[in-house]
Short mmCIF file of all heavy atoms in Angstrom, two decimals:
data_model
loop_
_atom_site.label_atom_id
_atom_site.label_comp_id
_atom_site.label_asym_id
_atom_site.label_seq_id
_atom_site.Cartn_x
_atom_site.Cartn_y
_atom_site.Cartn_z
N LYS A 28 103.25 28.66 162.16
CA LYS A 28 103.58 29.96 161.63
C LYS A 28 104.14 29.75 160.18
O LYS A 28 104.81 28.94 159.81
CB LYS A 28 104.61 30.72 162.54
CG LYS A 28 104.15 30.97 163.85
CD LYS A 28 105.13 31.75 164.66
CE LYS A 28 104.71 32.08 166.07
NZ LYS A 28 104.45 30.81 166.89
N TYR A 29 103.64 30.69 159.35
CA TYR A 29 104.09 30.73 157.94
C TYR A 29 104.42 32.01 157.51
O TYR A 29 104.01 33.11 158.10
CB TYR A 29 102.94 30.24 157.02
CG TYR A 29 102.50 28.76 157.29
CD1 TYR A 29 101.52 28.47 158.22
CD2 TYR A 29 103.11 27.79 156.47
CE1 TYR A 29 101.13 27.18 158.43
CE2 TYR A 29 102.65 26.38 156.76
CZ TYR A 29 101.68 26.15 157.66
OH TYR A 29 101.29 24.86 157.82
N LEU A 30 105.24 32.23 156.42
CA LEU A 30 105.68 33.48 155.88
C LEU A 30 105.33 33.47 154.34
O LEU A 30 105.66 32.51 153.63
CB LEU A 30 107.17 33.80 156.08
CG LEU A 30 107.68 34.96 155.27
CD1 LEU A 30 107.02 36.32 155.59
CD2 LEU A 30 109.16 35.07 155.30
N ILE A 31 104.63 34.52 153.93
CA ILE A 31 104.45 34.80 152.45
C ILE A 31 105.07 36.10 152.01
O ILE A 31 104.50 37.15 152.66
CB ILE A 31 103.01 34.72 152.11
CG1 ILE A 31 102.43 33.26 152.34
CG2 ILE A 31 102.84 34.99 150.55
CD1 ILE A 31 100.94 33.11 151.99
N VAL A 32 106.00 36.15 151.25
CA VAL A 32 106.55 37.44 150.77
C VAL A 32 105.95 37.55 149.36
O VAL A 32 106.21 36.84 148.54
CB VAL A 32 108.12 37.37 150.71
CG1 VAL A 32 108.54 38.75 150.11
CG2 VAL A 32 108.63 37.22 152.13
N VAL A 33 105.18 38.63 149.17
CA VAL A 33 104.62 38.98 147.88
C VAL A 33 105.41 39.89 147.05
O VAL A 33 105.67 41.08 147.56
CB VAL A 33 103.23 39.45 148.07
CG1 VAL A 33 102.39 39.53 146.71
CG2 VAL A 33 102.37 38.66 149.00
N THR A 34 105.82 39.50 145.93
CA THR A 34 106.63 40.36 145.07
C THR A 34 105.75 40.77 143.79
O THR A 34 104.88 40.02 143.50
CB THR A 34 107.82 39.78 144.60
OG1 THR A 34 107.67 38.42 144.00
CG2 THR A 34 108.89 39.45 145.75
N PHE A 35 106.08 41.87 143.09
CA PHE A 35 105.35 42.25 141.96
C PHE A 35 105.43 41.22 140.78
O PHE A 35 104.51 40.84 140.10
CB PHE A 35 105.78 43.65 141.53
CG PHE A 35 104.87 44.15 140.40
CD1 PHE A 35 103.55 44.55 140.69
CD2 PHE A 35 105.16 44.32 139.03
CE1 PHE A 35 102.55 45.16 139.69
CE2 PHE A 35 104.26 44.70 138.21
CZ PHE A 35 103.03 45.12 138.43
N LYS A 36 106.66 40.82 140.57
CA LYS A 36 106.91 39.83 139.52
C LYS A 36 107.62 38.66 140.20
O LYS A 36 108.21 38.78 141.22
CB LYS A 36 107.87 40.28 138.49
CG LYS A 36 107.32 41.51 137.68
CD LYS A 36 108.20 41.94 136.57
CE LYS A 36 107.56 43.09 135.73
NZ LYS A 36 108.40 43.66 134.73
N ASP A 37 107.52 37.47 139.55
CA ASP A 37 108.08 36.20 140.18
C ASP A 37 109.59 36.31 140.29
O ASP A 37 110.29 36.71 139.30
CB ASP A 37 107.65 34.89 139.37
CG ASP A 37 107.41 33.71 140.21
OD1 ASP A 37 108.31 33.58 141.23
OD2 ASP A 37 106.51 33.02 140.05
N MET A 38 110.13 35.96 141.35
CA MET A 38 111.68 35.93 141.56
C MET A 38 112.25 34.60 141.37
O MET A 38 113.35 34.46 141.19
CB MET A 38 111.92 36.38 143.09
CG MET A 38 111.29 37.80 143.46
SD MET A 38 112.05 39.16 142.80
CE MET A 38 113.34 39.39 144.00
N PHE A 39 111.38 33.57 141.32
CA PHE A 39 111.80 32.17 141.05
C PHE A 39 112.97 31.76 142.07
O PHE A 39 114.04 31.41 141.64
CB PHE A 39 112.25 31.94 139.63
CG PHE A 39 111.06 32.16 138.59
CD1 PHE A 39 111.17 32.92 137.63
CD2 PHE A 39 110.05 31.26 138.75
CE1 PHE A 39 110.17 33.02 136.69
CE2 PHE A 39 108.92 31.40 137.89
CZ PHE A 39 109.00 32.27 136.78
N VAL A 40 112.72 31.99 143.25
CA VAL A 40 113.73 31.49 144.29
C VAL A 40 113.25 30.31 145.12
O VAL A 40 113.82 29.94 146.19
CB VAL A 40 114.15 32.70 145.26
CG1 VAL A 40 114.92 33.80 144.43
CG2 VAL A 40 112.83 33.26 145.93
N GLY A 41 112.15 29.73 144.69
CA GLY A 41 111.68 28.49 145.33
C GLY A 41 111.03 28.84 146.68
O GLY A 41 110.55 29.91 146.95
N ASN A 42 110.86 27.79 147.56
CA ASN A 42 110.45 28.09 148.94
C ASN A 42 111.55 28.42 149.78
O ASN A 42 112.68 28.55 149.44
CB ASN A 42 109.61 26.89 149.40
CG ASN A 42 110.40 25.68 149.45
OD1 ASN A 42 111.65 25.70 149.64
ND2 ASN A 42 109.70 24.44 149.64
N GLY A 43 111.18 28.57 151.14
CA GLY A 43 112.24 28.88 152.07
C GLY A 43 113.49 27.93 152.23
O GLY A 43 114.59 28.28 152.36
N ILE A 44 113.12 26.67 152.03
CA ILE A 44 114.21 25.61 152.10
C ILE A 44 115.11 25.79 150.76
O ILE A 44 116.34 25.80 150.84
CB ILE A 44 113.63 24.19 152.33
CG1 ILE A 44 112.95 24.05 153.58
CG2 ILE A 44 114.66 23.14 152.01
CD1 ILE A 44 112.38 22.73 153.86
N ASP A 45 114.53 25.92 149.63
CA ASP A 45 115.20 26.17 148.48
C ASP A 45 116.27 27.31 148.55
O ASP A 45 117.34 27.21 148.24
CB ASP A 45 114.34 26.35 147.25
CG ASP A 45 113.53 25.15 146.92
OD1 ASP A 45 113.97 23.98 147.18
OD2 ASP A 45 112.29 25.28 146.60
N PHE A 46 115.67 28.50 149.02
CA PHE A 46 116.45 29.66 149.28
C PHE A 46 117.51 29.53 150.11
O PHE A 46 118.69 29.88 149.93
CB PHE A 46 115.55 30.81 149.61
CG PHE A 46 116.15 32.17 149.54
CD1 PHE A 46 116.52 32.71 148.25
CD2 PHE A 46 116.37 32.88 150.52
CE1 PHE A 46 117.00 33.96 148.14
CE2 PHE A 46 116.95 34.12 150.49
CZ PHE A 46 117.35 34.63 149.19
N TYR A 47 117.30 28.73 151.25
CA TYR A 47 118.28 28.51 152.19
C TYR A 47 119.38 27.54 151.72
O TYR A 47 120.52 27.89 151.76
CB TYR A 47 117.65 27.89 153.53
CG TYR A 47 118.62 27.50 154.57
CD1 TYR A 47 119.18 28.32 155.47
CD2 TYR A 47 119.03 26.16 154.67
CE1 TYR A 47 120.02 27.95 156.38
CE2 TYR A 47 119.90 25.73 155.54
CZ TYR A 47 120.49 26.61 156.49
OH TYR A 47 121.44 26.16 157.46
N GLU A 48 119.02 26.40 151.20
CA GLU A 48 119.99 25.48 150.73
C GLU A 48 120.72 25.84 149.53
O GLU A 48 121.93 25.59 149.40
CB GLU A 48 119.18 24.12 150.40
CG GLU A 48 118.58 23.45 151.67
CD GLU A 48 119.66 22.77 152.56
OE1 GLU A 48 120.88 22.64 152.13
OE2 GLU A 48 119.31 22.41 153.64
N TYR A 49 120.13 26.54 148.59
CA TYR A 49 120.90 26.76 147.33
C TYR A 49 121.29 28.20 147.03
O TYR A 49 122.11 28.45 146.18
CB TYR A 49 119.86 26.34 146.10
CG TYR A 49 119.28 24.94 146.21
CD1 TYR A 49 117.99 24.72 146.16
CD2 TYR A 49 120.24 23.96 146.45
CE1 TYR A 49 117.45 23.44 146.26
CE2 TYR A 49 119.75 22.68 146.58
CZ TYR A 49 118.40 22.29 146.42
OH TYR A 49 117.93 21.14 146.55
N VAL A 50 120.89 29.09 147.95
CA VAL A 50 121.19 30.56 147.60
C VAL A 50 121.93 31.25 148.77
O VAL A 50 122.92 31.84 148.56
CB VAL A 50 119.96 31.32 147.23
CG1 VAL A 50 120.23 32.74 146.94
CG2 VAL A 50 119.31 30.73 145.95
N ALA A 51 121.23 31.20 149.90
CA ALA A 51 121.72 32.19 151.11
C ALA A 51 121.85 31.43 152.36
O ALA A 51 121.56 32.06 153.40
CB ALA A 51 120.76 33.33 151.03
N LYS A 52 122.55 30.30 152.37
CA LYS A 52 122.57 29.50 153.61
C LYS A 52 123.38 30.32 154.64
O LYS A 52 122.82 30.44 155.79
CB LYS A 52 123.33 28.23 153.39
CG LYS A 52 123.35 27.19 154.54
CD LYS A 52 124.02 25.88 154.11
CE LYS A 52 123.83 24.83 155.17
NZ LYS A 52 124.41 25.21 156.40
N GLU A 53 124.49 30.77 154.36
CA GLU A 53 125.43 31.43 155.40
C GLU A 53 124.66 32.74 155.98
O GLU A 53 124.71 32.90 157.23
CB GLU A 53 126.71 31.85 154.87
CG GLU A 53 127.57 30.54 154.55
CD GLU A 53 128.98 30.98 154.06
OE1 GLU A 53 129.20 32.17 153.89
OE2 GLU A 53 129.76 30.10 153.73
N THR A 54 124.17 33.52 155.05
CA THR A 54 123.34 34.68 155.46
C THR A 54 122.21 34.48 156.35
O THR A 54 122.08 34.99 157.37
CB THR A 54 122.97 35.43 154.24
OG1 THR A 54 123.99 35.85 153.40
CG2 THR A 54 122.19 36.71 154.69
N LEU A 55 121.43 33.43 155.98
CA LEU A 55 120.28 33.09 156.78
C LEU A 55 120.71 32.47 158.13
O LEU A 55 120.05 32.62 159.13
CB LEU A 55 119.34 32.19 156.01
CG LEU A 55 118.70 32.82 154.76
CD1 LEU A 55 117.80 31.83 154.00
CD2 LEU A 55 117.89 34.00 155.19
N ASP A 56 121.78 31.66 158.16
CA ASP A 56 122.27 31.15 159.41
C ASP A 56 122.57 32.29 160.43
O ASP A 56 122.36 32.20 161.64
CB ASP A 56 123.47 30.21 159.14
CG ASP A 56 123.18 28.90 158.75
OD1 ASP A 56 121.97 28.44 158.94
OD2 ASP A 56 124.02 28.19 158.10
N ARG A 57 123.18 33.31 159.90
CA ARG A 57 123.51 34.46 160.71
C ARG A 57 122.28 35.15 161.23
O ARG A 57 122.32 35.57 162.46
CB ARG A 57 124.49 35.45 159.89
CG ARG A 57 125.85 35.07 159.72
CD ARG A 57 126.78 36.26 159.20
NE ARG A 57 126.38 36.77 158.03
CZ ARG A 57 126.78 36.42 156.91
NH1 ARG A 57 127.63 35.48 156.78
NH2 ARG A 57 126.29 37.00 155.75
N ILE A 58 121.34 35.20 160.48
CA ILE A 58 120.02 35.83 160.98
C ILE A 58 119.37 34.94 162.00
O ILE A 58 118.92 35.46 163.06
CB ILE A 58 119.12 36.01 159.67
CG1 ILE A 58 119.74 37.05 158.76
CG2 ILE A 58 117.76 36.44 160.17
CD1 ILE A 58 118.92 37.22 157.38
N VAL A 59 119.39 33.66 161.72
CA VAL A 59 118.71 32.72 162.70
C VAL A 59 119.55 32.66 163.97
O VAL A 59 118.87 32.41 165.10
CB VAL A 59 118.55 31.39 162.05
CG1 VAL A 59 118.11 30.38 163.12
CG2 VAL A 59 117.55 31.38 160.84
N SER A 60 120.84 32.85 164.01
CA SER A 60 121.58 32.81 165.26
C SER A 60 121.14 33.84 166.21
O SER A 60 121.44 33.76 167.43
CB SER A 60 123.10 33.06 164.84
OG SER A 60 123.29 34.40 164.47
N ARG A 61 120.42 34.88 165.83
CA ARG A 61 119.96 35.86 166.76
C ARG A 61 118.82 35.23 167.66
O ARG A 61 118.37 35.79 168.72
CB ARG A 61 119.32 37.09 166.01
CG ARG A 61 120.17 37.69 165.10
CD ARG A 61 119.54 38.70 164.19
NE ARG A 61 120.32 39.14 163.10
CZ ARG A 61 119.91 39.90 162.10
NH1 ARG A 61 118.66 40.18 162.03
NH2 ARG A 61 120.71 40.29 160.99
N TYR A 62 118.21 34.09 167.29
CA TYR A 62 117.08 33.51 167.93
C TYR A 62 117.52 32.14 168.51
O TYR A 62 116.74 31.16 168.42
CB TYR A 62 116.05 33.30 167.03
CG TYR A 62 115.65 34.57 166.30
CD1 TYR A 62 116.07 34.83 164.97
CD2 TYR A 62 114.92 35.60 166.87
CE1 TYR A 62 115.78 36.01 164.21
CE2 TYR A 62 114.49 36.75 166.19
CZ TYR A 62 115.00 37.01 164.98
OH TYR A 62 114.78 38.12 164.34
N ALA A 63 118.74 32.11 169.14
CA ALA A 63 119.20 30.90 169.86
C ALA A 63 119.19 29.78 168.87
O ALA A 63 119.06 28.56 169.31
CB ALA A 63 118.34 30.70 171.09
N GLY A 64 119.48 30.08 167.56
CA GLY A 64 119.66 28.97 166.57
C GLY A 64 118.39 28.39 166.18
O GLY A 64 118.50 27.43 165.25
N ALA A 65 117.29 28.74 166.50
CA ALA A 65 115.99 28.20 166.00
C ALA A 65 115.17 29.29 165.46
O ALA A 65 114.67 30.21 166.13
CB ALA A 65 115.27 27.54 167.22
N ALA A 66 114.87 29.18 164.14
CA ALA A 66 114.08 30.17 163.45
C ALA A 66 112.62 30.21 164.03
O ALA A 66 112.08 29.07 164.08
CB ALA A 66 114.03 29.85 161.92
#
């Protein structure tokens, strides 16, 4: 399974790992916790 989010202009946030590691780790951890810890 893959995800592509299409924006009108480039957001330059890397791929999902970049965004997780460098920008929004805690927020994404909270979201993933809804799925028994596995995205």
Side-chain angles (χ1 to χ4, degrees):
K28 297 179 176 65
Y29 298 87
L30 166 64
I31 297 177
V32 177
V33 187
T34 55
F35 188 73
K36 297 184 183 180
D37 212 321
M38 308 285 271
F39 294 123
V40 293
N42 62 17
I44 291 179
D45 296 324
F46 192 66
Y47 174 80
E48 291 288 348
Y49 305 131
V50 178
K52 188 176 189 297
E53 292 182 2
T54 299
L55 294 178
D56 278 342
R57 285 196 297 271
I58 293 172
V59 170
S60 68
R61 305 169 192 167
Y62 307 100

